[in-house]
Amino acid sequence: MTDRSEPTDDDTISGLSRSDPLAAVSPLDGRYASRTAPLSPYASEAALMRARTRVEVEYLIALADLDATPIGLDEAARESLREIYDAFSAEDARLIKALEVEGAEGYAATNHDVKAVEYFLRVRIDRLAASGDGDDATASADSPIGDAEALYPWIHFGLTSEDVNNLAHRLLLASAVTEVVVPAIREVRDALAELARDHRDAPMLARTHGQPATPTTFGKEMAVYAARLGRALGRVVVANGDLSGKLAGASGTYAAHAAAYPEVDWRAFAESFVRDLGLEHTPLATQVNPCDDLAALFDALRGVNNVLLDLDLDAWLYVSDRYLGQRTVEGETGSSTMPHKVNPIDFENSEGNLSKANADLTFLADYVTSSRLQRDLSDSTVKRNVGAALAHCLIGYSKAGDGLSKVVPNEAVMREELDATPEVIGEAVQTILRREGDTEAYERVKELTRGRSVTLDDFRDLFDDLDVNDDVRGELKALTPAGYTGVAGDLADEIDE
């Protein structure tokens, strides 16, 4: 059988390197690379390496603060250690990968990504302690670290890999949501609020069950989406702030820590350490953080996506009905065969990406909250796909924003359709007649309008035959579809800045 694990010469496109976006397996790193690039500092493998390094360094420093341990780290040493992750470079990431896969600098391959970070820290601490240009590991008299080997036993002391991983993943996720995802959602929400304010009084035929219904205004409908998106965004912010980490050892019992130093209150230590990283603390866990916090965040993001999916569908229909026109882009082609086409491609793209994101988020929320007994490793590879789910979200948000920036409400078309659908004032007519005590008001209007094409003159003939005073008759005759929008304009003003 032919080994297909590596591309053959026949598979390779001449002149195309595997790092070229055109060679990417996923469109997230290929076609949409420019849109997903803001997530790279939080979702890439190098970012995970850096976050693990941060956790390990801060843990080492926290151990040094315990009276029970013999670790001595002055302020200069702490600054030097923190510089390892603050100035984390591509060279550092490649070294960690080499330590994992092939071995490097006197270390055999670990075939373990977290152990590779531990050995990477040994290498970097050796360099800090080395004299001259760092070609050897002899302690320099002015080294901020002192004896490097004396620190070796305390790197990853008493930890299991999940102690490091669960914290690293949450640090990255929290930052990605705060720095990239939330601003992208807020941008769409602001665009909707602007449309709501700008078109607060533009009357528009509403449709319930797809049929003509009580008129509204375009601004009010956009305000509904802005308000929904704002509430959904609030749930994301809350869930992101509730991310919770654990540091409790191989079975969640602090066993190794307690065996080494039974006099230390390791539960208090863990809580303080996790909170100092900016996370809530999970006091009860197996080896695995239960991940209910992640599931809550993924569900909150799905809530945002569902609002925008609803918007994408409605915007598409409004374009189809010519309620919304679209600004053309110079040089852009709408159809390869129909030159006139200006397609609602941004809303369609947003719909597709948000649907994919929701499928991924649902899978992630369901999967990461389960672990066989105290630990199985299947979630490890799954969690590496969180970035992909966020990337589909980000594309969906940016595409929805692009679509909103191009649409122009066609108020003339909206009014034309309102004028052609006078039956929608039937609700107002029967309600006013009920107010006047007409017990057959609903039935009277139903007989005139249901399943029939009517005009305003047909209504006026009905009004002339009614046993009502002239003021009421005048009130009824003043009704028009475009004027029957209630307080829709005022509702559009309720959107917060």
Side-chain angles (χ1 to χ4, degrees), residues 105 107 122-140 143 146-149 152:
E105 304 212 16
Y107 293 91
R122 289 189 182 188
V123 171
R124 289 301 309 272
I125 289 172
D126 280 346
R127 292 180 186 177
L128 286 173
S131 60
D133 59 8
D135 288 337
D136 60 67
T138 59
S140 171
S143 166
D147 183 2
E149 290 193 7
Y152 285 1

Side-chain angles (χ1 to χ4, degrees), residues 180-476:
V180 180
V181 175
V182 165
I185 299 168
R186 188 170 286 122
E187 190 171 332
V188 180
R189 185 262 179 203
D190 290 347
L192 288 166
E194 184 176 359
L195 280 172
R197 288 189 292 267
D198 290 348
H199 303 281
R200 67 186 298 279
D201 297 317
M204 181 181 80
L205 182 67
R207 286 188 171 85
T208 59
H209 307 279
Q211 306 304 307
T214 300
T216 181
T217 69
F218 181 76
K220 178 262 177 181
E221 297 310 308
M222 294 301 100
V224 170
Y225 279 113
R228 291 180 62 195
L229 192 56
R231 291 192 296 270
L233 175 57
R235 291 190 287 271
V236 170
V237 171
V238 169
N240 197 48
D242 286 341
L243 291 180
S244 179
K246 61 84 65 171
L247 188 94
S251 295
T253 64
Y254 303 90
H257 293 84
Y261 290 106
E263 70 277 15
V264 173
D265 186 346
W266 289 109
R267 287 183 293 175
F269 171 89
E271 181 174 3
S272 176
F273 177 73
V274 171
R275 290 188 181 278
D276 283 348
L277 289 175
L279 300 170
E280 296 298 311
H281 178 239
T282 302
L284 284 169
T286 60
Q287 183 180 119
V288 181
N289 188 328
C291 294
D292 300 313
D293 57 331
L294 297 184
L297 177 55
F298 299 152
D299 286 342
L301 286 168
R302 285 183 60 245
V304 166
N305 296 350
N306 285 337
V307 172
L308 290 179
L309 281 167
D310 204 13
L311 170 69
D312 289 334
L313 294 171
D314 275 1
W316 191 95
L317 289 167
Y318 288 146
V319 171
S320 178
D321 288 341
R322 298 190 304 123
Y323 282 13
L324 291 178
Q326 298 179 96
R327 295 185 182 92
T328 58
V329 177
E330 185 68 28
E332 184 180 87
T333 297
S335 166
S336 63
T337 186
M338 294 176 282
H340 69 283
K341 295 292 288 297
V342 183
N343 296 328
I345 55 175
D346 292 313
F347 295 116
E348 292 171 338
N349 188 295
S350 176
E351 178 187 344
N353 273 286
L354 293 178
S355 297
K356 178 64 167 66
N358 275 4
D360 290 350
L361 292 167
T362 299
F363 166 74
L364 288 167
D366 288 345
Y367 203 95
V368 299
T369 52
S370 298
S371 179
R372 285 184 289 276
L373 302 178
Q374 283 67 53
R375 174 63 161 142
D376 76 81
L377 202 60
S378 59
D379 69 306
S380 178
T381 189
V382 167
K383 287 174 182 171
R384 295 179 188 272
N385 291 281
V386 171
L390 295 183
H392 283 294
C393 288
L394 189 60
I395 297 168
Y397 305 154
S398 65
K399 284 292 188 177
D402 288 350
L404 291 173
S405 71
K406 295 176 184 176
V407 295
V408 181
N410 193 334
E411 296 189 25
V413 170
M414 294 180 189
R415 283 184 175 271
E416 180 182 333
E417 188 152 10
L418 279 170
D419 292 341
T421 321
E423 61 267 25
V424 294
I425 69 169
E427 179 191 44
V429 171
Q430 67 97 6
T431 303
I432 291 172
L433 293 179
R434 283 172 179 260
R435 182 195 70 195
E436 297 301 311
D438 188 339
T439 58
E440 299 297 320
Y442 179 89
E443 289 72 20
R444 200 186 308 279
V445 177
K446 176 182 175 183
E447 182 179 353
L448 174 68
T449 60
R450 192 166 193 264
R452 298 173 59 186
S453 177
V454 295
T455 66
L456 283 177
D457 286 339
D458 293 326
F459 274 104
R460 287 168 183 145
D461 289 342
L462 171 65
F463 302 155
D464 287 337
D465 291 337
L466 292 174
D467 183 18
V468 295
N469 64 46
D470 289 342
D471 288 342
V472 174
R473 201 181 319 277
E475 184 182 2
L476 291 169

Side-chain angles (χ1 to χ4, degrees), residues 153-207:
W154 305 102
I155 304 171
H156 202 71
F157 176 81
L159 299 183
T160 183
S161 298
E162 176 63 11
D163 287 326
V164 177
N165 280 335
N166 90 98
L167 297 172
H169 278 299
R170 282 163 175 78
L171 290 173
L172 292 173
L173 180 57
S175 295
V177 171
T178 299
E179 301 297 329
V180 180
V181 175
V182 165
I185 299 168
R186 188 170 286 122
E187 190 171 332
V188 180
R189 185 262 179 203
D190 290 347
L192 288 166
E194 184 176 359
L195 280 172
R197 288 189 292 267
D198 290 348
H199 303 281
R200 67 186 298 279
D201 297 317
M204 181 181 80
L205 182 67
R207 286 188 171 85

Side-chain angles (χ1 to χ4, degrees), residues 43-67:
S44 63
E45 185 165 8
L48 181 57
M49 293 172 176
R50 180 177 58 188
R52 286 167 169 158
T53 302
R54 176 186 171 189
V55 172
E56 293 278 15
V57 166
E58 291 299 334
Y59 177 69
L60 178 60
I61 292 172
L63 288 177
D65 288 333
L66 291 174
D67 293 335

